[in-house]
Amino acid sequence: MSNIHYDFSGKVAVVTGGATGIGEAAVRKFAAAGATTVIGDVHEEAGITLVKKLRAYGHDVHFVLTDVGDDSMVSCLMTAAFSLRQRLDFVFNNAGVAIGGEVTEMSEDNWQKVLNINLGGVFRGCKYAIPYMLQQGSGVIVNCGSTQALRGFMGWAGYAASKGGILALTRQAAIQYAGKGIRINAIAPGTVMTPMNEKIFAEVEDPQALIQAWNNAHPIGRFGQPAEIADTVLFLCSDEASFITGQTVVADGGQTVRGE
């Protein structure tokens, strides 16, 4: 994990799905870098617990109960974040759900749910953050895609479609606002050990076999860790990435480039 220390003092960052997993790691890193950091999540207890832990270290962290599938809640999240310091600098649209199912078997309800939360959540995060960024003439958005947007994986029709849509939306929005001081990029993590994936393992007959198979899918030989993905997010938000917009940064241990 990176030892680079960014100075985001005076900045405001929002992380959706920030109570656990990759989002939690990003919250910790934004807070450690001095940013006023706002967690938007449906997991209220976990979010409030994280706020208490980080405030004990002197960090300025807040929680706003947010379902990214709900338009009004995402609007309220961005408004609440902006009101803290009258600015909104960074948004990591990270919240998502993993719902499996192949095309012929996936229910209409599950299809709509995964698209509404994963793709719709990113859409709403951009929709309600960008006006504040336009007002101040600057801002960075990072959207969480997946390697499933880049390769075919068996049994994940809706999830893959939602993540592919995120990458396309990222490109479109980046072009739309590039001349307005706003940079918008996406990340495409490989398999990362998060509560979302732990839930998948718990539901299969042989979790160790699945874990080993997923490990083997990465030439580096292992899963990623949430903090490694969070490092990529902070880099994209930093001035060191000032010439990068509309791109998808793949952090996958070599998963998408292996030849066999």
Side-chain angles (χ1 to χ4, degrees):
M1 287 170 283
S2 172
N3 291 318
I4 295 173
H5 179 74
Y6 298 108
D7 183 4
F8 291 154
S9 301
K11 306 291 188 179
V12 176
V14 171
V15 180
T16 66
T20 60
I22 294 170
E24 177 185 349
V27 166
R28 289 179 178 275
K29 288 181 178 288
F30 275 123
T36 294
T37 306
V38 182
I39 302 165
D41 207 305
V42 293
H43 300 293
E44 187 171 17
E45 183 177 352
I48 291 173
T49 297
L50 181 58
V51 167
K52 290 178 179 177
K53 287 179 180 178
L54 295 179
R55 284 183 177 177
Y57 289 101
H59 300 318
D60 187 15
V61 184
H62 305 261
F63 176 79
V64 178
L65 182 65
T66 308
D67 177 354
V68 298
D70 184 295
D71 187 78
S72 63
M73 293 185 84
V74 179
S75 175
C76 288
L77 169 65
M78 299 305 171
T79 299
F82 179 81
S83 69
L84 292 169
R85 290 184 176 271
Q86 298 303 300
R87 61 182 305 112
L88 180 55
D89 300 281
F90 313 126
V91 173
F92 178 29
N93 287 313
N94 165 73
V97 292
I99 301 176
E102 57 185 89
V103 171
T104 57
E105 296 179 352
M106 193 168 194
S107 70
E108 180 69 20
D109 285 347
N110 280 343
W111 171 262
Q112 294 297 340
K113 182 178 180 180
V114 73
L115 286 177
N116 183 46
I117 294 175
N118 292 2
L119 178 55
V122 169
F123 159 69
R124 296 178 191 98
C126 293
K127 177 180 179 179
Y128 292 111
I130 287 171
Y132 291 118
M133 294 178 173
L134 288 172
Q135 182 176 316
Q136 66 197 26
S138 65
V140 182
I141 296 174
V142 179
N143 299 324
C144 193
S146 167
T147 53
Q148 290 220 30
L150 304 171
R151 296 184 65 189
F153 292 82
M154 300 285 281
W156 291 93
Y159 184 82
S162 71
K163 294 297 185 176
I166 288 169
L167 304 194
L169 176 59
T170 297
R171 291 189 292 269
Q172 190 283 325
I175 291 300
Q176 193 80 46
Y177 300 103
K180 305 291 185 179
I182 300 171
R183 294 190 297 105
I184 305 173
N185 291 292
I187 57 170
T191 307
V192 179
M193 188 56 81
T194 64
M196 181 186 292
N197 281 329
E198 288 169 0
K199 182 175 183 292
I200 293 172
F201 300 142
E203 294 173 348
V204 299
E205 185 175 330
D206 190 347
Q208 287 305 314
L210 182 59
I211 289 171
Q212 189 57 51
W214 285 12
N215 277 336
N216 293 342
H218 300 75
I220 204 169
R222 62 171 177 83
F223 283 29
Q225 294 299 315
E228 293 176 301
I229 308 304
D231 282 333
T232 306
V233 174
L234 263 71
F235 165 71
L236 288 171
C237 288
S238 74
D239 289 342
E240 281 74 9
S242 59
F243 201 54
I244 302 174
T245 196
Q247 302 304 306
T248 298
V249 177
V250 181
D252 70 346
Q255 183 188 51
T256 56
V257 297
R258 69 182 309 152
E260 70 276 15

